[in-house]
Amino acid sequence: MKVSIVGCTHAGTFSAMNILKEHPDWEVSVFERNDNLSFLSCGIALWVSDRVSDPNKMFYASPEALTEMGAHMHMQHDVTNIDFDNKKLAVKNLVNGETFEQPYDKLVITTGSAPVVPPIPGIDSSRVMLCKNWTNAKELKENAKDVKSAIVIGAGYIGAELAEGYATLGKETTLIDALPHVLAKNFDPNMSAVAEKDYIDNGVTLGMGEKVESFEETDHSVIVKTDKNTYEADIAVMCVGFRPNTKMFADKFETLPNGALIVDKYMHTSIPDVFSAGDAASVHYNPTNDNQYIPLATNSVRQGILVGKNIEKDTAEYMGTQASSAVELFGRTYAASGLTKDHAEVLGKNVETVSLEDNYRPEFMLTTTPVLMNLVWDPETRVVLGGALTSMYDVSQSANLLSLAIQKKVTIDELSMVDFLFQPNFDKPVNYVSALAGAAVEKADSKVAE
């Protein structure tokens, strides 16, 4: 059996490893444009701000390792066309320009994503940079030593973390986003307000609710003009999101509106013998029970594993995702899983929510720390649909607990009565997640009583 894998970051890497694990005698050929694979781009901001021990450890696999497993690695090779009817790839060697055809029996499309680069005047300036891959990471790390100021455009996780990184390095930092709040797609306004205060307290200029209209390069800086203000800095970094890298062949498949290939629970696309995974593909989003585009490494890894398990026959179903995520900004943890109230409203989904602030452990301890929490649930079934937490205490693993609750369709009543441990070093007699769920139960019951 001949298998070709197009693209090899996270989904491609895990697809290759698991296909070879399940079928060590198969011929597996991997085609990747870059000279590296498995780069954890979520570490870019950490590396730029001197919080990574060794950048080489930001790679968890290598072409050599996959070769040892039995893969035929074609690094710095570009797939220029795919003939799905005759099952052939047209391939170009980017080093010497040679071209050839590659036949396949099974095809895995893991072409990943590309950064969104809007057609803004002046965006092609050398002082306007991206934050996506290893090449971008090296450029940002190198110039971080010399720049005294930076404008970060996009206040999602990547932009928020990069802006925080520049601020901790003592750079004059500006963070701009067209949405009204920092991390607006991940958290509701009460938590965004906490983050915004921390940015301001740490000297960061915020331009929320501002749309960038142009870039103008000078001899020593770049001027960023929005619909409300003008900013100037040594560099600007675009962090406004990602799109699936499927433009070459998306019209052949059933896709989401943005071009992400729709896959079923076994990672099949709409074309027989063609699989997809990772940022090129859709995911099944459990809180809304539909297909969405959520480019996260965790989704890519799990989908890649499933490609390996299902490449010969359907054996393992995708359990879906809650899009669980977290970030640390100025020492404060933000963690979330599932829907926010604002996201639910955008999707037209009827939900109920509650917010609660509670200390994570008893007040009789020498120290304790408050945790601000939100919970989202279905008012009819009382099933948990989402939750978020922020605190100077590390609450990241509580988002994983909420993720499991959403996946298993746990109700707010059940979550309020889970057998959590109690020990004063760690929590209260009523764990803070139970307390949050209890507040949800109280609110839901009061609605019923009305």
Side-chain angles (χ1 to χ4, degrees):
M1 184 72 70
K2 293 184 177 182
V3 180
S4 288
I5 298 174
V6 183
C8 195
T9 303
H10 304 306
T13 298
F14 275 84
S15 293
M17 290 191 299
N18 284 275
I19 291 171
L20 290 166
K21 179 181 177 181
E22 300 283 337
H23 307 283
D25 57 330
W26 283 16
E27 182 181 317
V28 178
S29 299
V30 178
F31 300 90
E32 170 55 47
R33 290 174 177 173
N34 295 305
D35 61 0
N36 62 83
L37 53 84
S38 81
F39 175 61
L40 291 164
S41 58
C42 55
I44 293 177
L46 297 173
W47 186 36
V48 169
S49 54
D50 298 329
R51 287 176 279 190
V52 168
S53 61
D54 180 354
N56 294 313
K57 294 179 180 178
M58 295 163 70
F59 299 87
Y60 55 83
S62 66
E64 294 75 19
L66 290 185
T67 298
E68 288 180 9
M69 291 185 68
H72 301 278
M73 301 301 295
H74 300 271
M75 304 303 293
Q76 294 181 276
H77 281 66
D78 188 24
V79 173
T80 57
N81 188 54
I82 303 176
D83 183 345
F84 295 104
D85 294 328
N86 296 301
K87 294 188 172 183
K88 290 182 180 180
L89 305 179
V91 184
K92 180 178 181 179
N93 184 323
L94 297 177
V95 176
N96 59 26
E98 293 180 355
T99 61
F100 61 92
E101 285 190 341
Q102 175 76 20
Y104 66 84
D105 299 306
K106 305 275 189 178
L107 177 64
V108 182
I109 296 177
T110 47
T111 47
S113 59
V116 173
V117 183
I120 301 172
I123 199 168
D124 56 349
S125 164
S126 61
R127 291 184 178 272
V128 179
M129 313 182 77
L130 299 175
C131 185
K132 167 65 173 171
N133 57 30
W134 176 234
T135 298
N136 302 149
K138 289 186 289 185
E139 291 173 349
L140 292 171
K141 178 62 175 177
E142 180 63 26
N143 68 29
K145 296 180 296 185
D146 301 318
V147 301
K148 294 181 173 59
S149 57
I151 298 169
V152 179
I153 301 161
Y157 273 138
I158 294 174
E161 194 171 23
L162 187 61
E164 185 259 8
Y166 282 131
T168 60
L169 290 175
K171 313 296 183 183
E172 182 181 332
T173 306
T174 301
L175 179 60
I176 299 172
D177 199 295
L179 294 175
H181 298 289
V182 171
L183 300 173
K185 290 186 177 181
N186 307 97
F187 297 91
D188 284 312
N190 65 329
M191 293 189 182
S192 292
V194 175
E196 288 162 8
K197 184 178 185 304
D198 282 346
Y199 278 110
I200 293 169
D201 289 348
N202 283 274
V204 177
T205 299
L206 295 179
M208 296 297 104
E210 298 187 27
K211 182 180 179 180
V212 174
E213 295 186 334
S214 69
F215 299 93
E216 180 184 341
E217 184 175 339
T218 72
D219 291 340
H220 305 290
S221 68
V222 60
I223 297 171
V224 179
K225 293 184 179 180
T226 74
D227 55 354
K228 297 178 182 177
N229 291 293
T230 299
Y231 305 92
E232 186 172 4
D234 293 335
I235 59 169
V237 187
M238 294 293 294
C239 305
V240 296
F242 303 110
R243 58 171 178 80
N245 190 21
T246 60
K247 186 176 181 180
M248 181 178 73
F249 45 74
D251 60 343
K252 306 287 186 181
F253 293 87
E254 181 181 355
T255 70
L256 295 179
N258 70 348
L261 308 186
I262 293 176
V263 294
D264 66 11
K265 58 188 177 182
Y266 298 107
M267 301 297 106
H268 299 284
T269 67
S270 55
I271 295 180
D273 294 324
V274 180
F275 297 74
S276 188
D279 288 5
S282 67
V283 296
H284 184 81
Y285 188 50
N286 288 326
T288 53
N289 195 33
D290 62 5
N291 290 315
Q292 293 197 24
Y293 184 64
I294 305 174
L296 289 172
T298 48
N299 294 334
S300 299
V301 168
R302 288 183 293 121
Q303 286 185 318
I305 291 171
L306 289 174
V307 168
K309 291 183 177 296
N310 298 317
I311 194 74
E312 182 177 24
K313 60 182 179 179
D314 298 342
T315 59
E317 294 185 8
Y318 182 38
M319 293 191 297
T321 181
Q322 289 69 251
S324 305
S325 57
V327 68
E328 182 180 298
L329 302 171
F330 302 110
R332 188 185 304 274
T333 299
Y334 299 82
S337 185
L339 283 174
T340 64
K341 180 182 178 181
D342 283 0
H343 188 200
E345 290 178 355
V346 169
L347 298 175
K349 188 171 183 63
N350 183 33
V351 299
E352 190 57 80
T353 66
V354 72
S355 295
L356 179 70
E357 187 169 71
D358 190 19
N359 288 325
Y360 85 94
R361 66 180 183 179
E363 289 73 16
F364 67 70
M365 297 295 289
L366 293 176
T367 62
T368 187
T369 306
V371 181
L372 178 62
M373 302 168 282
N374 296 342
L375 194 66
V376 180
W377 69 94
D378 185 317
E380 294 185 6
T381 64
R382 298 168 77 108
V383 167
V384 176
L385 298 177
L389 314 92
T390 184
S391 178
M392 295 301 287
Y393 172 66
D394 183 0
V395 291
S396 57
Q397 294 306 309
S398 295
N400 287 331
L401 169 64
L402 292 173
S403 177
L404 184 61
I406 299 165
Q407 185 167 300
K408 292 300 183 181
K409 300 186 184 303
V410 172
T411 66
I412 54 175
D413 309 85
E414 293 169 328
L415 186 59
S416 71
M417 295 297 287
V418 169
D419 180 24
F420 292 111
L421 66 85
F422 163 57
Q423 208 287 332
N425 284 298
F426 307 114
D427 66 352
K428 290 181 166 184
V430 176
N431 178 276
Y432 54 87
V433 174
S434 284
L436 176 64
V441 170
E442 185 176 345
K443 183 173 181 178
D445 287 347
S446 68
K447 292 273 189 180
V448 173
E450 293 176 356

